[in-house]
Amino acid sequence: MHILQFGCGNMGGAMLAGWLAGGLAPDTFTVVDPFLESAPDGVRLLRAAPEGEAPGDVVLLGFKPQQLAEAIAAVAPHVGANTLVLSILAGVDMETLRGAFPDAGAIVRVMPNLSVALGKSPIALVGDAEGAARELTDALMKPLGQGEWLSGEDQMDLVTALAGSGPAFVYRFIDALAQGAADLGLPREQADRLALAMVEGAALLAAQSPHAPGELARRVASPGGTTQKGLDVLDADERMLRLMQDTLRAARDRSAEMTREARKS
């Protein structure tokens, strides 16, 4: 198998790191990126698309969504009837991708986050891959995290908000926890360390527990205790829930707006 990767920015680079850490051989990859200073040892790095090569097994679209129109001419010769095209282009829908690469054997939209580098990302998947192409997609996602096939492309905007943008919301929450503790008297650097260690441990426990996060919160809290008093503040007027709904709605709506913009370009 050969993977031809067009673009190796933050997300493309994280996926490449995750694949290599997961055991894929470096010579599996050819990266086409005019700006990348260097590639991991053994990975072929080109400044422009290779000429005269037959269509590949897998083509990853890892450049900026707004660059699709100008990239088609370089990418299309490497897409054939047996090629699986993986797209991480936010807001670029299947109709646009299929129009750009009509000869592709299968096209799958992939929405990961940067945790793919650690093999810990939720990965939303939607596309027209069937049979061997779907099995190949699942195999490629396994070293990167938890692949989740969506029932329809209309879910992609919301999943983009939850799984794609979600890490930024968690980081902001960690920062707010630390800042709140610092404002109440802890040294900021110590508050940062404690908040980060607490969230790491809580997330690992939640991932391994048979109980849902809401039930875990209930089990941590004792009636009338310190934890319950804090939860009472978060739960008052459903303020935490409303904040998350507003946050996800804003990110979802921006994703949908980007899709409409991509169709016009």
Side-chain angles (χ1 to χ4, degrees):
M1 180 181 63
H2 181 252
I3 299 175
L4 180 58
Q5 180 170 333
F6 286 89
C8 195
N10 290 336
M11 188 61 70
M15 292 178 73
L16 177 59
W19 276 323
L20 294 175
L24 272 71
D27 61 7
T28 301
F29 301 92
T30 294
V31 172
V32 180
D33 192 310
F35 306 109
L36 189 66
E37 291 185 3
S38 62
D41 289 345
V43 173
R44 181 189 184 199
L45 175 60
L46 302 176
R47 299 305 176 193
E51 296 183 2
E53 294 189 4
D57 301 310
V58 180
V59 168
L60 173 66
L61 308 181
F63 41 80
K64 296 183 184 301
Q66 58 268 29
Q67 295 175 323
L68 175 60
E70 64 183 75
I72 292 174
V75 177
H78 301 280
V79 176
N82 295 317
T83 304
L84 168 63
V85 175
L86 301 177
S87 170
I88 60 173
L89 309 184
V92 180
D93 63 8
M94 285 295 297
E95 181 180 351
T96 301
L97 291 167
R98 182 51 75 179
F101 307 107
D103 296 332
I107 298 176
V108 178
R109 290 184 64 188
V110 181
M111 178 51 61
N113 65 44
L114 292 175
S115 299
V116 288
L118 305 175
K120 295 294 184 180
S121 175
I123 308 167
L125 304 166
V126 67
D128 55 17
E130 297 179 355
R134 186 164 179 138
E135 291 177 4
L136 177 56
T137 302
D138 288 337
L140 287 172
M141 296 305 111
K142 191 172 183 180
L144 305 181
Q146 178 65 48
E148 294 281 349
W149 287 94
L150 306 183
S151 60
E153 193 175 17
D154 58 340
Q155 295 181 326
M156 185 59 87
D157 293 325
L158 181 54
V159 174
T160 296
L162 176 61
S165 302
F169 308 149
V170 174
Y171 301 149
R172 186 60 58 85
F173 175 70
I174 296 171
D175 183 65
L177 278 174
Q179 184 61 56
D183 291 343
L184 293 173
L186 275 182
R188 179 58 200 255
E189 290 187 358
Q190 187 175 49
D192 284 338
R193 292 194 298 271
L194 288 170
L196 185 59
M198 180 277 296
V199 171
E200 180 184 21
L204 288 172
L205 180 60
Q208 297 173 15
S209 174
H211 303 293
E215 174 61 16
L216 289 175
R218 189 192 68 77
R219 287 171 177 254
V220 172
S222 300
T226 59
T227 303
Q228 188 58 55
K229 283 296 183 182
L231 288 175
D232 289 343
V233 175
L234 293 178
D235 294 341
D237 300 321
E238 295 186 322
R239 64 175 70 180
M240 184 74 160
L241 174 60
R242 293 178 185 274
L243 176 61
M244 289 299 98
Q245 288 174 336
D246 290 344
T247 300
L248 292 171
R249 184 181 295 109
R252 179 203 64 187
D253 291 351
R254 176 53 184 154
S255 178
E257 184 180 40
M258 290 172 65
T259 299
R260 291 191 295 271
E261 292 171 352
R263 286 174 181 163
K264 294 176 182 178
S265 62

